[in-house]
Amino acid sequence: MRLSTFILALAVSAFAALPAAAETYKTPKALLKALYSYDTDRSDAEAPSPYSIFFSDHLNRLLQADLDNTPEGDVGAVDFDPVIAGQDGEASNVRIGQPILLDDKAEVEVQFKNGEEVTLFYTLVREHGGWKVDDIANQKGDAPWSLTALLGDAQ
């Protein structure tokens, strides 16, 4: 009897320790709220990004290819945190715009402060029963960027 109780306790604790990869977000706003409240310390160290559980298969493939093609000790194509548009800091006062939906895609503007006011444009796709980030872009300032373009994807 004790062995079955131990096995049950072990199974419950193993299930609780699983990453949030199985989480599905039914709306674009739910995905982005979760993304901006996510503690990256909970990330899978083997994943191509600390945010991989929020990213589409396509974006994760690009990140993994960049990781695979970057010599050890070098920095890959993305040397900053695209979710906060910087190397340091954090997003505060996050404001998520109204999604523009077209079939299984959504475009959403997110504004926040990270030292200065930042505006990012998210492209989301519906995948695996929920919404996932397929691209992040900063179209303002002197050096506009798109995550997929930095990773060499000419969609």
Side-chain angles (χ1 to χ4, degrees), residues 40-114:
T40 57
D41 291 339
R42 296 178 37 212
S43 300
D44 178 359
E46 299 298 314
S49 164
Y51 305 106
S52 286
I53 62 171
F54 299 100
F55 289 173
S56 68
D57 292 343
H58 170 252
L59 185 52
N60 276 316
R61 278 193 300 275
L62 292 174
L63 288 160
Q64 187 63 55
D66 182 59
L67 191 61
D68 293 344
N69 293 317
T70 301
E72 192 165 330
D74 285 356
V75 176
V78 181
D79 63 348
F80 64 97
D81 183 334
V83 172
I84 62 166
Q87 293 179 334
D88 300 314
E90 63 181 48
S92 64
N93 194 25
V94 176
R95 296 169 314 282
I96 300 169
Q98 190 62 35
I100 299 170
L101 301 170
L102 182 60
D103 297 324
D104 286 340
K105 285 195 167 207
E107 298 287 332
V108 186
E109 182 178 298
V110 175
Q111 296 177 317
F112 56 89
K113 286 195 73 84
N114 184 9

